[in-house]
Amino acid sequence: MKTTSKNILIAPLNWGLGHATRCIPIIKELQQFGFTPIIASDGVALRLLQKEFPELVSIELPSYEIEYAKDEKDFKWKLIKNSPKMIQAIFEEKQKVKELVKQYDLKGIISDNRLGVYSKKVPSVFITHQLNVLSGKTTWISSKLHQFFIAKFTECWIPDCKDQPNLTGKLGHLENSSLNLKYLGPLSRLVKKNLPLRYDLMVILSGPEPQRTMLEDKLTAELQDYEGSILFIKGKVEPEQNIKTDRHITYYNFMTSEEVEKAFNESDLVLCRSGYTTVMDLAKLEKKAFFIPTPGQFEQEYLAKRCKRKGMAPFAKQGEFKAEKLLEIDLYKGFPKSEATVNWKQLFILFHGE
């Protein structure tokens, strides 16, 4: 593939699939406006984008080696224990970016939560929905540290609405800030379509191990007696797509964006993590859902509680979930339609040097 002088590096964090999937509409819009995206990530995030855009140059970056603890009480300790590896990966990706700026004559960088992917030589954008990083008693310091890194970038794009109503609440909004913030409105790779319903329930999993597998095992057992047809997407990006049917449950190891969009539109209810990318997808498709937050992840717990408080969706802790709890969905209104649209032309002016 030939690259152009309008090359833009786009680098999502490999933390589940959410950061990668919300970069998909950005990559497509860059192409529409005549830019050539160059993908950079690692692990399943990189593999997912390689499957979506096989024609694009893709580059492997150092891994942050993010792994969750099996016990949610050990979540913060696990992150602290792995922090030296993360710091080393950030340092290494900074060095890698210096090489890529020269090698590909980059005109811009878009980093989705990769702290070391920026350059002083070209406009660099940081994408996050967490201006405040919730971490329990250490929220103040984790938020200030995150904002310190964000300040190194030319702009910070938040995939949410600036004013009410919004989806992120206190995660994506600051009362006073000197950061160069731009609110995009919710981002989703999916489009709402009026298709006949094929499934009573769609299960879609994501997130780092071992919690992804732990939830898969729990739901596989728990939903055996569910009365209705189930589509179960495991969120395991592997070389080949595998499909298996066991009575009323159809299992996929992964789906492409086109297949996921069709599956969402053909499903009545959704059972999933309360990751922010999933919340944006549900809002785009005006779906009704049930959340199981990743144990120990304060952000997902906050979003699940906020959605419940606003009457949009119920949730349960992973260890407390039972199939009968899905009946609670009827008591909630679901996600309202979002009218926000992204002004891509205005955003991309940054990369024209104007």
Side-chain angles (χ1 to χ4, degrees):
M1 172 205 152
K2 290 184 179 180
T3 55
T4 71
S5 60
K6 298 177 71 176
N7 295 328
I8 306 293
L9 187 72
I10 183 159
L13 179 65
N14 178 34
W15 186 313
L17 296 176
H19 295 283
T21 57
R22 72 185 185 190
C23 283
I24 290 173
I26 301 175
I27 293 171
K28 290 180 177 179
E29 291 296 335
L30 284 168
Q31 292 175 313
Q32 287 293 317
F33 280 88
F35 294 98
T36 301
I38 296 174
I39 298 164
S41 189
D42 68 283
V44 293
L46 181 60
R47 293 199 294 273
L48 174 76
L49 293 179
Q50 287 171 331
K51 288 180 180 294
E52 293 286 333
F53 303 99
E55 77 282 7
L56 296 181
V57 170
S58 60
I59 298 158
E60 186 167 6
L61 293 177
S63 174
Y64 284 28
E65 298 188 32
I66 299 168
E67 186 178 74
Y68 279 14
K70 289 187 176 181
D71 189 333
E72 64 180 287
K73 296 178 182 178
D74 297 328
F75 173 75
K76 195 181 297 186
W77 164 244
K78 186 83 170 182
L79 285 181
I80 294 171
K81 183 180 178 182
N82 289 337
S83 60
K85 294 180 182 178
M86 293 175 64
I87 293 169
Q88 179 64 26
I90 293 168
F91 174 79
E92 290 176 359
E93 69 183 3
K94 284 180 66 176
Q95 301 306 309
K96 183 70 173 179
V97 168
K98 287 182 181 180
E99 299 171 8
L100 296 176
V101 169
K102 295 179 181 178
Q103 182 179 353
Y104 291 100
D105 187 25
L106 296 180
K107 298 304 179 186
I109 294 171
I110 300 175
S111 166
D112 190 325
N113 275 264
R114 295 196 79 111
L115 301 176
V117 180
Y118 67 92
S119 172
K120 294 180 180 180
K121 295 185 177 181
V122 298
S124 301
V125 172
F126 191 76
I127 298 178
T128 187
H129 62 276
Q130 294 187 83
L131 298 174
N132 288 307
V133 179
L134 306 187
S135 57
K137 294 179 180 179
T138 56
T139 290
W140 183 86
I141 190 168
S142 58
S143 298
K144 290 299 181 183
L145 184 60
H146 200 224
Q147 292 162 27
F148 168 79
F149 277 103
I150 294 173
K152 296 179 180 293
F153 290 76
T154 313
E155 293 181 355
C156 177
W157 294 355
I158 302 98
D160 194 13
C161 298
K162 182 176 182 179
D163 303 311
Q164 294 286 354
N166 61 67
L167 296 175
T168 57
K170 66 182 180 182
L171 289 176
H173 297 81
L174 298 173
E175 291 187 8
N176 296 294
S177 176
S178 59
L179 298 173
N180 190 4
L181 306 177
K182 290 191 175 180
Y183 287 84
L184 312 185
L187 276 182
S188 176
R189 57 177 169 157
L190 309 179
V191 175
K192 181 176 173 59
K193 297 178 179 178
N194 293 318
L195 300 178
L197 293 178
R198 291 183 59 195
Y199 305 102
D200 296 295
L201 178 67
M202 172 183 175
V203 178
I204 183 163
L205 303 185
S206 182
E209 298 291 2
Q211 289 295 337
R212 191 213 60 79
T213 295
M214 291 170 69
L215 183 57
E216 177 190 333
D217 292 343
K218 181 177 180 64
L219 294 182
T220 299
E222 191 63 40
L223 295 173
Q224 287 301 311
D225 297 324
Y226 180 82
E227 295 184 3
S229 58
I230 300 174
L231 175 63
F232 198 122
I233 307 169
K234 299 179 180 182
K236 297 171 66 176
V237 183
E238 297 172 321
E240 299 293 332
Q241 186 182 67
N242 296 313
I243 307 169
K244 184 182 77 171
T245 300
D246 182 9
R247 297 190 304 126
H248 61 302
I249 306 178
T250 301
Y251 296 94
Y252 281 74
N253 54 343
F254 72 91
M255 283 185 169
T256 64
S257 288
E258 185 177 346
E259 291 170 328
V260 169
E261 180 179 272
K262 187 171 184 286
F264 261 108
N265 281 289
E266 291 180 337
S267 301
D268 187 24
L269 307 175
V270 181
L271 175 60
C272 54
R273 294 292 196 196
S274 49
Y276 183 60
T277 299
T278 304
V279 170
M280 290 192 290
D281 288 340
L282 293 168
K284 182 70 174 290
L285 301 178
E286 303 170 54
K287 282 294 180 180
K288 301 190 77 172
F290 192 102
F291 289 130
I292 303 177
T294 301
Q297 190 169 339
F298 293 93
E299 169 217 353
Q300 289 197 15
E301 292 169 355
Y302 169 77
L303 288 171
K305 290 175 182 177
R306 188 172 188 271
C307 288
K308 181 175 182 177
R309 187 172 66 251
K310 291 187 172 292
M312 293 187 287
F315 79 94
K317 292 184 177 181
Q318 185 164 302
E320 298 173 359
F321 176 78
K322 298 292 182 183
E324 53 265 29
K325 284 184 175 288
L326 293 171
L327 296 173
E328 296 177 16
I329 298 178
D330 289 339
L331 303 176
Y332 291 77
K333 61 188 179 183
F335 287 82
K337 183 178 181 180
S338 174
E339 302 291 349
T341 56
V342 183
N343 189 339
W344 295 108
K345 183 177 181 180
Q346 186 66 33
L347 286 171
F348 292 160
I349 285 176
L350 179 68
F351 304 132
H352 287 293
E354 299 176 14

